[in-house]
Every structure is written in structure tokens, then in C-alpha cells.
Amino acid sequence: MGQVLRMTHNGVDYSFVILNKEPLSRETREIIVSVNGETKTLVQRDRSWLPAEEAGDVEVAMAIGKTIALRYRI
């Protein structure tokens, strides 16, 4: 999608870009993002966006998922 999005979580700024080729919609169940240069995959589980792999900071991934969901109304 190309647009750089920003958020702050626990006083730390994060920049991320959505890498999905298809536009986001309510049917989207997987979002690929580049966070500060690192590629991560978020999957929707029980109305929350969680990282596909359990490694890494789950809270940051959830916050990014929530930011995307609020911005794109998914």
C-alpha cells in the first residue's frame, strides 16, 4: 500500500508500512507489515491482530494491528 504509518507505544515511536498487495477489507485475515525495516505477519484471531510467529514483542504487534484496524475500519 506504500504509505508510511506511525504510532507510539509505551513512549517508543514505530514506523511501519503495509505490504499487502490487495486492499485491506473486513475479509482480510492476514496483514504483512514492515516495522522499522523488519517484515512481520499479523493474523486475525478472535477480533485481535496477533503476530503469526510467537517470537518478538506481542504487545507491539497487537498495537500495530489495532492501529491498522482503526485506520482502515477492518
Side-chain angles (χ1 to χ4, degrees):
M1 300 192 49
Q3 181 179 5
V4 177
L5 302 171
R6 300 185 74 207
M7 69 158 214
T8 302
H9 180 70
N10 290 337
V12 180
D13 289 328
Y14 295 92
S15 299
F16 59 95
V17 177
I18 300 171
L19 301 176
N20 288 36
K21 295 183 191 283
E22 299 294 321
L24 300 180
S25 68
R26 292 185 188 270
E27 288 77 35
T28 302
R29 297 295 172 246
E30 183 176 279
I31 300 174
I32 302 168
V33 294
S34 174
V35 183
N36 295 337
E38 186 177 333
T39 302
K40 299 200 178 275
T41 302
L42 305 175
V43 293
Q44 188 177 28
R45 294 188 197 131
D46 299 326
R47 299 178 52 97
S48 295
W49 289 94
L50 301 171
E53 63 281 341
E54 295 300 322
D57 195 348
V58 175
E59 285 186 23
V60 172
M62 289 178 66
I64 290 171
K66 185 174 183 178
T67 300
I68 293 169
L70 290 172
R71 177 165 180 98
Y72 291 98
R73 298 179 186 249
I74 56 173

